[in-house]
Amino acid sequence: MKNTDSARTAENPRCRQQGVTCMPYERPDWDSYFMTIAAVAATRSTCLRRQVGAVIVRDGQIISTGYNGSPKGTPHCAETGCLRARLHIPSGERQEICRGSHAEMNAIAQAASVGVSTAGASLYCTHSPCAFCTKAIINAGIRRVVYLYSYPDELAEHLREEAGLICGQFPHENLQKIFCCLDLVRAQLDRDAELKKGECSCC
């Protein structure tokens, strides 16, 4: 079997050893793979309004991840309450009035903090970047953005067009690939947890 993204796996040999029947699954393409990881990163978010995750990839390798939340060392919004909600600020407006830092900003900051270049990289995000994040993405040299859900920000769209940033929405018909990836991980963890103590699970 060729090592391609479109190849379908046969029944897992480990499943046969354990007497478990596994359904064949389609190996995820790269965009689905990285978007799945962005969705997992979003589960770390401490925002009370919207949980967002981001992954920066260069040359097919993940170099940074991020999620939205308060800056390091400061109380989470769950402790202080949502400033934007308290001031009745609608979604997509006055992004500067917020205790949290956005997922894309945090992913870029994480890469910078360890001296990793983002030039020429791609960014996968669960939501399309706002204007503030778009400016940071452009200046960080990121050349491609893939997002799952739209975020209402006309200025961000205009800036991306002006800068020639390649930006596209992840096809919603491919969401099932993300669900399959997560289901497979859960199934594998469940099987491993059932193995008898001392039994090797790597072969």
Side-chain angles (χ1 to χ4, degrees):
M1 180 181 294
K2 293 183 179 180
N3 184 20
T4 64
D5 290 336
S6 60
R8 297 184 66 86
T9 65
E11 185 181 356
N12 191 319
R14 191 167 67 178
C15 294
R16 291 198 299 271
Q17 293 171 5
Q18 299 173 25
V20 178
T21 300
C22 297
M23 295 297 292
Y25 73 100
E26 185 176 351
R27 186 185 188 201
D29 56 87
W30 286 115
D31 280 355
S32 298
Y33 172 70
F34 293 129
M35 190 60 76
T36 299
I37 297 174
V40 172
T43 64
R44 284 282 300 168
S45 169
T46 58
C47 180
L48 301 178
R49 276 193 168 188
R50 192 192 308 262
Q51 290 71 51
V52 182
V55 173
I56 299 177
V57 177
R58 191 181 65 204
D59 298 328
Q61 301 294 321
I62 295 174
I63 60 174
S64 182
T65 64
Y67 52 87
N68 57 328
S70 301
K72 289 182 179 180
T74 65
H76 297 310
C77 295
E79 303 171 57
T80 64
C82 178
L83 177 61
R84 293 175 63 80
R86 191 160 62 243
L87 297 177
H88 305 290
I89 300 174
S91 178
E93 299 180 12
R94 305 297 303 276
Q95 291 100 336
E96 74 279 6
I97 302 179
C98 179
R99 287 180 49 81
S101 177
H102 289 187
E104 304 95 315
M105 287 280 204
N106 285 334
I108 292 170
Q110 183 188 63
S113 70
V114 293
V116 176
S117 173
T118 55
S122 296
L123 183 142
Y124 294 81
C125 196
T126 55
H127 296 73
S128 57
C130 69
F132 283 100
C133 289
T134 294
K135 287 183 280 188
I137 288 168
I138 293 170
N139 287 339
I142 293 171
R143 298 305 306 153
R144 179 175 179 249
V145 172
V146 180
Y147 63 90
L148 188 55
Y149 301 111
S150 296
Y151 182 79
D153 195 320
E154 293 183 4
L155 176 58
E157 295 178 8
H158 183 64
L159 288 170
R160 290 193 288 266
E161 290 178 3
E162 285 187 327
L165 185 64
I166 301 171
C167 187
Q169 187 168 17
F170 183 82
H172 279 210
E173 58 268 24
N174 288 351
L175 273 174
Q176 189 59 37
K177 293 184 179 180
I178 294 179
F179 299 149
C180 286
C181 287
L182 297 176
D183 287 344
L184 179 64
V185 170
R186 180 174 181 176
Q188 288 175 335
L189 292 176
D190 286 344
R191 286 196 298 271
D192 289 345
E194 293 175 359
L195 289 175
K196 293 180 181 179
K197 188 175 181 180
E199 183 178 346
C200 178
S201 64
C202 63
C203 56

